[in-house]
Amino acid sequence: MERYDPKTIEAKWQKVWAEERAFSVPNPPLDELRAHRNKTYVLEMLPYPSGELHMGHVRNYMLGEVVAHFRRRHGYAVLRPMGFDSFGLPAENAAIDAGRHPRELTEENIARIRGQMTRIGWAIDWDRMLATHEPDYYRWTQWLFLRFFERGLTYRKEVPVKWCPNDQTVLANEQVIDGRCERCGAEVEARNLEQWLFRITAYADRLLDEMEELESWPERVLTMQRNWIGRSEGAELIFRVDGLDVDIPVFTTRPDTIFGATFFVVAPEHPLVEHLVEGTSHADEVREYVRHAGGRTAVERETKEKDGVPTGRFVVNPASGARIPVWVADYVLMEYGTGAIMAVPAHDERDYAFAKRYDLPIKTVVVPADDEPPEGEGAFVAHTENERLVNSAQFSGMPAPEAKRAIVAWLEERHAARPAVGYRLRDWLLSRQRYWGCPIPIVHCERCGIVPVPDSELPVLLPEVEDYLPKGRSPLATAEGWVRVDCPSCGGPARRETDTMDTFVDSSWYFLRYADARNDEAPFAREIVDYWLPVNQYIGGIEHAILHLMYARFFTKVLNDIGLVGFREPFARLFTQGMVYYRGAKMSKSKGNVVDPDEYMDRYGADACRLYPVFLGPVDQDAEWQDSGFEGMVRFLNKLWRVGLGAVEAPAGVSAGTPLARKAHATIAKVTDDIGRRFAMNTPIAAVMELVNEISRSEEDPARGFAVETAVSLIQPYTPHIAEELWQRLGHERLWASPWPEADPAQLEQETFELVIQVNGRVRDRVEVAADASEDELVARAKESPKVRAHLDGKQIRQTIVVPRKLVNLVVA
RNA sequence: GCCGAAGUGGCGGAACUGGUAGACGCGCCGGACUCAAAAUCCGGUGGGGCCUGGCCCCGUGUGGGUUCGAUUCCCACCUUCGGCACCA
């Protein structure tokens, strides 16, 4: 018998697919596009071209691959594009390590990865390929930036920033993990710099509320985003500084505790600190504290014991009229709320710790509703379900939730409060002082200030520079000829913005560009994106649960507001796949523990390489690469090949009524359900293996030919090369376009099933029963079984439990 | 501390709405082929006990509960992993 030779088969079919452009899905004219109702947009997060593909990548892209084939086989027009996130730190750092120019190395990597993807036979529409570093693409990134600018959604501001001393650039909040740089792990420093930001906080509520519109996202991703946005409802309360004509607002979620505020704290970075202490005897001590606190790292600030200094100033509690002292302490953060708090030591652990240390008064104002108020003053009272107020003037005795509203309303009348919402979310800092990124299309003019580059002058091309290594200021600044321009507004001397954009800007709209990838008059045509989008199935790593996924949602909402797209959420369904571990660490080039697919393709062929990474385990969970299991896939493909050729010699046969036919039908149902509904990728492979084992054991079954066709057809999304070859040899047309073999319901009704008979829950017998047998018939069959009778032994049947098509249980006394 | 996910053979893992626990693969054991080995193919494989047919008992992190029946549902606990965390 002819040997299974993956090399020949794979080369043959890849040539056929390339010639017929099997995976290209060009956009038809608009009116035709609208008429085509069955579309699926399958999208995997675009890779950074910082190296080559390894088996971890193979596993990820196989998910989109299987879904794309599966949907296509079910009669859908499937958009399944691919591109490269080629700007940014990963690519630039890889280039620096290699001592190469980023463009050169990036483009080399792109070519190499594309080659690997082609060789493995993925059904990708390469006609829509994009790379974010190409002017054709970043021209529109700049264009979109200008639309944000026009609407005031991007702005420039001097801000305290997180600075990575290793990468020599500013980081977004989201890129700082435990006080360290997300990419390199260096401890992040604080600096004050003029930076560009996106006003993502303006969309905080919509990013929360419009989660409702998502079809299917993992709950944990939504939870992570909710936590990140960190919305909390409360009030802004205004405290007046005694002796100065100054009001300081604070944000609190517990306005009900205002009568318990016994001191007041402002953050060291608070702009009013200097004004508060100017000319007082505390000025030197406070300045010293502020200076010292500024030098602390984020980690120090969090782990040390709470400390602070008094300012000598007092504010007036707007509710009680009490004068309470103002302190400066760095346990209050400038970035959250208003940078100042009213301290209620009896009901806030942090305030309590601070009060204990500096011997400040503690006043209980909220107690559990059922209990007696705690003895005396000075205790910490933890928050509980049912609470009422004490020591709070006219509000004493009121339940806490009601008191919250009442106190805010009462203070609001006196212009000392308003309801407010606090967010943990900060604006998105997008400036990067690095070379390899999208230039920000802005000009700084001596006379006109900040001037946007006109659309007609886009793209602002990234200049060639001698030295692109990071130095703490953008390398673009060294390109004098590029920096100096005439102001687009007044024609006077001006300088270009030299910061580049965060890579996450590039990847916040790429999914739109794919729909209309070759448009050179606009980023995309609205009619076309409205047809393809939202993405039906988005696939990517959990590591992007917050960053990329929230930025992309933000961009889509802004574009929807501008009228560029007709939808508000970009990704209807999201699937987050697990990572592949090898030798105890996440498989990655930097850890040096990659498994190279090329080697395996050389030895075993592409189909085995496609199969094994997804067979490893459930794809939403992390998996450990087990090299020993790979051979099993090769054995399976050989077996499939054998039974396939066997069926070629003895074709056709029946498609129902035999055990093998039944098995085949059951496998169709299982695979369809697993891929289509459950998004399970490993169990369908197991089901087909089971079917193939069954075929090779059932030499005589007349449904053999049908079962083989079923197996070939079902495994095709995983291993299209061998499937296509066998399908052809079995005498059929092209497989990827053909419908799936369907079970005939009328025939299924004739089938039998195995009835399990139990007595008191113990299995006593099994019998074959017609599938359409009634419950009474099932019970009758159970009772007439000799084995069951022996166990009944004349005892009375107390209860009969019938599970249709499965089981009868006779319960006896 | 708060929120979430998960604990099943020697291993990766199946069991979709409570219905024969351990599919499929790896590994291991046995057999065929071979002078022999490798490769390949076929069969067996949760633990224990009677027994040469066959049958019984125990088993899904621990302890309870609901149910005729629980890996699945409920309560408590243990362990592991992930997210958030001076957020007022």
Side-chain angles (χ1 to χ4, degrees):
Chain A
M1 188 181 272
E2 184 186 341
R3 251 186 71 238
Y4 164 53
D5 176 18
K7 272 214 172 81
T8 316
I9 293 171
E10 284 163 12
K12 168 182 165 184
W13 286 103
Q14 286 183 12
K15 187 157 171 275
V16 172
W17 296 334
E19 275 166 7
E20 66 189 12
R21 310 180 62 70
F23 305 122
S24 288
V25 185
N27 290 333
L30 272 178
D31 46 336
E32 278 177 49
L33 194 65
R34 284 193 206 95
H36 200 304
R37 252 172 284 145
N38 288 342
K39 70 91 184 175
T40 295
Y41 186 176
V42 181
L43 182 64
E44 294 125 303
M45 291 178 187
L46 81 179
Y48 299 123
S50 54
E52 291 180 24
L53 293 187
H54 56 66
M55 285 298 187
H57 297 114
V58 174
R59 188 169 194 246
N60 300 166
Y61 293 111
M62 274 307 292
L63 308 189
E65 175 73 4
V66 171
V67 173
H69 276 295
F70 181 86
R71 301 290 281 176
R72 188 164 180 158
R73 296 275 300 281
H74 278 76
Y76 285 81
V78 177
L79 176 59
R80 203 274 186 121
M82 185 60 66
F84 296 91
D85 199 1
S86 40
F87 260 149
L89 283 178
E92 184 174 321
N93 285 342
I96 290 168
D97 287 347
R100 308 270 306 273
H101 189 283
R103 176 175 294 107
E104 212 181 286
L105 186 67
T106 296
E107 289 178 356
E108 220 173 270
N109 282 336
I110 288 174
R112 199 172 314 151
I113 294 173
R114 184 174 167 172
Q116 286 180 298
M117 289 179 164
T118 306
R119 189 176 167 203
I120 205 162
W122 282 334
I124 290 164
D125 183 352
W126 288 109
D127 293 346
R128 295 170 185 265
M129 176 181 143
L130 60 83
T132 58
H133 79 285
E134 285 169 359
D136 279 354
Y137 182 84
Y138 72 72
R139 170 185 180 186
W140 301 112
T141 307
Q142 293 172 342
W143 188 89
L144 290 169
F145 176 91
L146 294 173
R147 304 290 83 77
F148 279 59
F149 181 82
E150 286 163 5
R151 295 180 73 93
L153 288 169
T154 176
Y155 62 98
R156 200 169 149 82
K157 189 184 165 192
E158 175 156 330
V159 284
V161 295
K162 323 267 188 189
W163 176 264
C164 174
N166 184 51
D167 287 334
Q168 293 277 302
T169 188
V170 160
L171 300 174
N173 280 312
E174 287 82 347
Q175 288 166 323
V176 180
I177 314 287
D178 290 334
R180 291 174 177 279
C181 172
E182 175 207 32
R183 301 240 187 260
C184 68
E187 195 160 310
V188 168
E189 297 170 1
R191 284 197 182 185
N192 277 314
L193 287 174
E194 279 257 308
Q195 298 289 307
W196 285 96
L197 294 102
F198 280 128
R199 211 180 290 282
I200 191 171
T201 51
Y203 283 74
D205 280 333
R206 287 182 56 186
L207 287 166
L208 283 172
D209 297 342
E210 289 166 16
M211 284 181 182
E212 298 291 320
E213 297 173 19
L214 301 171
E215 207 178 303
S216 166
W217 275 43
E219 196 48 50
R220 65 173 170 154
V221 174
L222 297 177
T223 304
M224 281 162 76
Q225 292 205 1
R226 277 190 208 104
N227 288 344
W228 190 263
I229 296 166
R231 182 187 151 100
S232 51
E233 293 190 34
E236 213 167 272
L237 308 174
I238 293 166
F239 287 69
R240 170 152 291 230
V241 181
D242 197 26
L244 286 177
D245 192 21
V246 174
D247 285 334
I248 309 181
V250 301
F251 173 75
T252 180
T253 54
R254 297 291 307 276
D256 51 322
T257 64
I258 188 166
F259 286 90
T262 54
F263 60 102
F264 191 93
V265 188
V266 295
E269 303 87 355
H270 199 288
L272 284 175
V273 169
E274 184 53 34
H275 185 51
L276 286 172
V277 299
E278 209 173 357
T280 73
S281 59
H282 291 80
D284 289 344
E285 198 194 347
V286 169
R287 283 178 195 138
E288 170 57 23
Y289 178 80
V290 168
R291 204 185 53 75
H292 181 69
R296 281 176 176 149
T297 65
V299 179
E300 273 171 8
R301 191 167 174 162
E302 235 180 271
T303 49
K304 68 165 175 63
E305 202 184 338
K306 296 192 190 341
D307 58 17
V309 289
T311 60
R313 290 282 178 189
F314 289 82
V315 292
V316 177
N317 183 325
S320 67
R323 278 174 87 241
I324 56 175
V326 178
W327 287 62
V328 177
D330 69 357
Y331 82 92
V332 172
L333 308 174
M334 194 58 224
E335 308 93 77
Y336 187 74
T338 61
I341 62 156
M342 64 170 193
V344 186
H347 304 292
D348 183 286
E349 280 186 71
R350 297 153 299 178
D351 297 344
Y352 180 75
F354 195 79
K356 276 285 171 193
R357 175 161 184 186
Y358 294 105
D359 206 19
L360 294 158
I362 298 168
K363 184 184 171 193
T364 307
V365 290
V366 176
V367 294
D370 316 324
D371 296 358
E372 289 300 306
E375 293 293 316
E377 292 288 294
F380 176 74
V381 183
H383 183 59
T384 50
E385 277 290 301
N386 287 305
E387 291 174 328
R388 64 185 165 83
L389 270 60
V390 293
N391 300 326
S392 298
Q394 68 268 39
F395 300 98
S396 296
M398 196 180 274
E402 195 185 325
K404 277 186 188 174
R405 288 187 292 271
I407 288 174
V408 173
W410 175 64
L411 288 175
E412 205 168 2
E413 279 173 29
R414 304 163 55 165
H415 305 290
R418 60 181 186 85
V421 180
Y423 298 94
R424 210 194 77 101
L425 183 70
R426 310 286 145 73
D427 274 338
W428 170 12
L429 200 152
L430 71 108
S431 299
R432 293 292 180 275
Q433 292 72 46
R434 296 284 293 236
Y435 172 68
W436 192 237
C438 176
I440 295 174
I442 290 287
V443 164
H444 299 277
C445 170
E446 288 165 19
R447 247 189 300 170
C448 316
I450 292 172
V451 181
V453 174
D455 288 355
S456 58
E457 290 175 26
L458 298 181
V460 175
L461 289 169
L462 183 66
E464 291 299 324
V465 297
E466 287 291 307
D467 183 4
Y468 56 83
L469 291 176
K471 303 208 171 32
R473 65 179 203 135
S474 176
L476 298 197
T478 63
E480 256 313 301
W482 177 83
V483 170
R484 260 189 266 177
V485 284
D486 296 338
C487 170
S489 177
C490 69
R495 298 179 67 81
R496 286 194 190 279
E497 171 64 53
T498 56
D499 282 357
T500 50
M501 293 186 210
D502 181 8
T503 332
F504 281 110
V505 182
D506 304 321
S507 58
S508 289
W509 75 280
Y510 76 104
F511 43 90
L512 301 167
R513 181 67 177 172
Y514 281 139
D516 193 12
R518 298 293 168 257
N519 193 330
D520 55 10
E521 280 155 22
F524 44 79
R526 172 161 174 172
E527 293 86 344
I528 297 175
V529 291
D530 280 358
Y531 172 75
W532 284 112
L533 279 274
V535 172
N536 296 80
Q537 183 66 62
Y538 198 33
I539 299 162
I542 188 73
E543 68 271 22
H544 290 119
I546 297 170
L547 304 171
H548 163 61
L549 286 169
M550 208 161 63
Y551 294 154
R553 294 181 62 219
F554 164 59
F555 256 61
T556 303
K557 290 174 195 308
V558 173
L559 299 187
N560 179 246
D561 285 350
I562 298 175
L564 289 171
V565 304
F567 45 91
R568 302 195 288 193
E569 286 288 346
F571 314 122
R573 302 174 67 89
L574 172 70
F575 184 88
T576 50
Q577 88 268 329
M579 294 185 241
V580 175
Y581 284 77
Y582 187 45
R583 296 183 179 142
K586 183 191 170 189
M587 193 180 281
S588 79
K589 195 184 163 196
S590 60
K591 302 224 175 61
N593 63 342
V594 294
V595 176
D596 176 12
D598 288 323
E599 263 175 53
Y600 286 77
M601 282 197 273
D602 284 342
R603 247 191 301 168
Y604 303 107
D607 279 339
C609 280
R610 297 168 55 108
L611 210 47
Y612 189 53
V614 275
F615 183 71
L616 271 179
V619 283
D620 57 338
Q621 288 167 35
D622 293 346
E624 174 81 24
W625 179 266
Q626 311 269 344
D627 213 39
S628 58
F630 199 97
E631 302 265 349
M633 301 304 109
V634 182
R635 281 182 208 134
F636 162 68
L637 290 175
N638 274 305
K639 199 168 196 171
L640 179 67
W641 182 253
R642 258 194 329 273
V643 301
L645 293 196
V648 171
E649 285 157 27
V654 302
S655 63
T658 77
L660 201 47
R662 230 173 293 147
K663 183 98 204 160
H665 286 300
T667 309
I668 293 168
K670 162 104 179 129
V671 171
T672 308
D673 191 54
D674 278 1
I675 298 175
R677 190 177 61 80
R678 298 205 301 142
F679 211 88
M681 295 294 157
N682 54 337
T683 46
I685 302 172
V688 175
M689 284 178 171
E690 197 184 340
L691 176 60
V692 170
N693 288 342
E694 203 63 40
I695 294 168
S696 77
R697 278 193 286 258
S698 313
E699 291 284 342
E700 303 302 320
D701 195 302
R704 223 177 124 85
F706 168 70
V708 167
E709 284 179 8
T710 302
V712 168
S713 167
L714 290 177
I715 204 66
Q716 182 270 345
Y718 296 88
T719 59
H721 307 91
I722 189 174
E724 202 76 85
E725 180 68 20
L726 285 173
W727 196 249
Q728 189 185 53
R729 288 176 187 232
L730 287 163
H732 299 293
E733 292 292 312
R734 301 295 315 288
L735 181 58
W736 58 262
S738 70
W740 290 45
E742 295 286 347
D744 181 354
Q747 285 170 337
L748 276 178
E749 284 310 305
Q750 316 261 316
E751 304 291 336
T752 60
F753 69 97
E754 189 181 53
L755 179 70
V756 176
I757 306 172
Q758 299 178 339
V759 177
N760 281 352
R762 297 231 166 267
V763 180
R764 297 302 176 189
D765 201 2
R766 291 146 214 250
V767 292
E768 277 288 299
V769 177
D772 56 357
S774 69
E775 293 197 9
D776 288 348
E777 284 171 300
L778 296 182
V779 174
R781 285 296 299 275
K783 285 182 182 165
E784 73 199 22
S785 155
K787 290 185 185 176
V788 169
R789 276 190 190 179
H791 285 280
L792 286 178
D793 197 24
K795 282 177 244 169
Q796 188 124 38
I797 296 172
R798 194 159 56 87
Q799 195 184 353
T800 310
I801 293 133
V802 181
V803 180
R805 283 180 170 241
K806 265 183 187 159
L807 164 149
V808 170
N809 184 17
L810 304 173
V811 183
V812 298

